Amino acid sequence: MISTALVAIGHDLGIGAADTAWLISVLYLASAVAQPVLGKLADAIGPRRVFLGGLLVVVASGLVGTFGPGFGWLLLSRLLLGIGTSAAYPAAMAVLRDESRRVGRPTPRPVLARLSFAGLGSTAVGPTLGGVLVGAFGWRAIFLVNVPMALAAFALALVWVPADRPRTARTEAGEKPRALGIDPLGIGLFAAALTLLCVFLLDLAHPDWWLLAPFALCAALLTHWQLRTARPFLDLRMIARNGPLARTYLRHGLSYLQIYCVMYGFTQWLEEAHGYSSTQSGLVMLPMSLCALVCSLTAARTKGIRAPLSLGAALLTLGAGVLAGVSGHTPLAVLLLVAACFGIPQGLLGTSNQAAIQQHAPADSIGSAAGLQRTAQYIGAITASSLIALAYGRRASDSGMHLMALVSAVLGAAVLVLTLLDRSLRPRA
């Protein structure tokens, strides 16, 4: 929703586009750090508690944004929103794990697909709902609407989400209950390292090279500590041994780097280079949202994971190839095709990578594993925003679009090769 309010916020507070862009970036930063942290908490103390706590943080973010007197308060609101909403996905995956244990069978793919459908649906509806709210009530309604939505979700969760079982019941049969293993030092080092990396990636056009030194220090300290402590926040040994899981993170991050390049870069090009209005650009992007929604459910009907992942990677490469030939005079039908070529993979890859996480992550760490999947996605989003700025400069142009398309084509080919060579994705006998 925030995308429709940035211009109004800038005009009302007397700030420029470079400043309002931080309202997007700060949420990505907060989410990238908070997803695995809250996933770890969901594994340790129970997903229902973590989800309900996250919703209360969302309520606080809405109140801060609605009544905050200045831009700094809006940044704080978006920071809280990133932290609060980060509880949802890893907690949901942990709930599904607990339910799978209760009924004695793996989580059905259609259930994972509906989880993906919910996320994609909110992304599709968000800009439209945001435009209505800003037009009717002003930009502060974008923040205030989070309060009733979070409270409604809180009430529904109290009724429908199963209560957290005792920790002894969440362990596998025959296992002794283990310590919570929250590892605050590991979390702090992880947050510091990831924040430094993301801030560096935010502006590749004018990189702050000095950030790499403290990032390397924090990463080294994090690695040293995680390999020494008995209950690490990041089980680096497990990730190193679990090649399928590590490849899922890499594949997911690279895929969404391309998808976010199109979500933000293509729409900007439509307006500035092709001359479309904001409304027209939104309509051109509609096939992307619709295809993503439909294909998130379609992917669940396949028996394996490899086929939808391969098709999604191939379409990402094809869409990038088409983008490499567009110009300000490209027919509308071709532009709609481009949007579809990136929308179909969004649905296929999202659902299939979720299934891969469920399949390859340790059962007692599914929350933190799912959180790391989203971290990879948000790093891709942050990198995409910097690539767009690097390719376009001050204004979107055909040459900038062609450069971005070339990079996307190379990444798409890499994801396709990575998928085809991954033996862990082959159907099991």
Side-chain angles (χ1 to χ4, degrees):
M1 292 187 291
I2 193 68
S3 62
T4 61
L6 294 178
V7 174
I9 291 173
H11 289 167
D12 194 21
L13 299 181
I15 56 179
D19 293 320
T20 57
W22 274 99
L23 292 174
I24 296 176
S25 300
V26 73
L27 183 135
Y28 283 146
L29 285 169
S31 299
V33 173
Q35 289 270 351
V37 173
L38 294 179
K40 187 74 171 181
L41 287 175
D43 291 329
I45 66 175
R48 188 173 187 254
R49 294 186 184 94
V50 171
F51 180 54
L52 293 174
L55 289 172
L56 294 179
V57 176
V58 173
V59 171
S61 78
L63 296 175
V64 169
T66 302
F67 301 106
F71 183 65
W73 289 93
L74 300 188
L75 288 176
L76 175 60
S77 171
R78 294 286 290 177
L79 177 69
L80 292 173
L81 184 64
I83 295 172
T85 53
S86 291
Y89 179 63
M93 295 288 276
V95 166
L96 294 179
R97 170 206 59 199
D98 290 345
E99 185 66 9
S100 293
R101 285 176 170 173
R102 187 185 70 83
V103 300
R105 64 188 181 97
T107 302
R109 290 276 294 280
V111 175
L112 293 173
R114 294 183 191 116
L115 184 60
S116 179
F117 185 89
L120 293 170
S122 64
T123 301
V125 172
T128 302
L129 177 59
V132 171
L133 290 172
V134 173
F137 305 106
W139 59 263
R140 288 195 183 269
I142 294 292
F143 297 88
L144 181 60
V145 72
N146 289 320
V147 175
M149 290 175 66
L151 291 176
F154 191 95
L156 292 173
L158 287 176
V159 175
W160 283 341
V161 177
D164 295 323
R165 293 179 295 167
R167 289 182 53 250
T168 53
R170 291 203 301 272
T171 59
E172 298 288 352
E175 286 186 359
K176 294 181 179 180
R178 294 184 290 180
L180 286 179
I182 299 300
D183 187 16
L185 179 57
I187 292 174
L189 290 171
F190 172 80
L194 189 58
T195 300
L196 289 166
L197 176 62
C198 290
V199 171
F200 174 79
L201 293 174
L202 279 172
D203 190 6
L204 293 178
H206 306 91
D208 291 321
W209 296 107
W210 65 270
L211 289 171
L212 295 181
F215 163 72
L217 176 61
C218 289
L221 291 174
L222 174 65
T223 302
H224 177 71
W225 174 248
Q226 297 304 276
L227 293 176
R228 286 189 58 193
T229 185
R231 293 285 291 159
F233 166 64
L234 288 177
D235 194 342
L236 297 179
R237 288 191 175 90
M238 182 276 294
I239 296 175
R241 292 192 302 264
N242 196 332
L245 183 63
R247 290 191 293 273
T248 299
Y249 292 147
L250 178 60
R251 184 173 57 242
H252 194 72
L254 291 177
S255 300
Y256 271 86
L257 193 161
Q258 295 174 265
I259 291 170
Y260 279 113
C261 274
V262 175
M263 286 180 65
Y264 297 132
F266 187 49
T267 51
Q268 187 175 342
W269 174 83
L270 287 172
E271 294 183 31
E272 294 187 337
H274 212 285
Y276 282 177
S277 66
S278 298
T279 302
Q280 291 171 329
S281 297
L283 291 174
V284 171
M285 295 299 291
L286 187 60
M288 183 175 182
S289 299
L290 294 178
C291 288
L293 288 170
V294 172
C295 290
S296 67
L297 298 179
T298 303
R301 298 180 180 272
T302 61
K303 294 183 179 180
I305 299 176
R306 190 181 190 183
L309 285 176
S310 299
L311 177 59
L315 287 173
L316 284 177
T317 308
L318 174 63
V322 176
L323 275 180
V326 300
S327 68
H329 305 289
T330 299
L332 176 61
V334 177
L335 301 179
L336 294 174
L337 175 63
V338 170
C341 281
F342 281 89
I344 295 172
Q346 191 175 355
L348 295 177
L349 294 167
T351 300
S352 300
N353 282 325
Q354 273 184 186
I357 293 293
Q358 278 276 353
Q359 179 176 313
H360 298 302
D364 61 347
S365 302
I366 189 66
S368 55
L372 285 173
Q373 179 195 2
R374 286 298 177 90
T375 297
Q377 178 174 328
Y378 287 126
I379 291 176
I382 292 169
T383 307
S385 65
S386 292
L387 288 177
I388 293 169
L390 197 62
Y392 285 163
R394 294 187 177 183
R395 183 178 178 85
S397 63
D398 289 348
S399 61
M401 170 58 71
H402 297 160
L403 175 60
M404 193 171 63
L406 177 61
V407 174
S408 295
V410 173
L411 292 174
V415 173
L416 181 58
V417 171
L418 182 65
T419 302
L420 293 175
L421 296 180
D422 193 343
R423 295 183 178 182
S424 67
L425 297 176
R426 294 177 179 176
R428 296 180 176 180

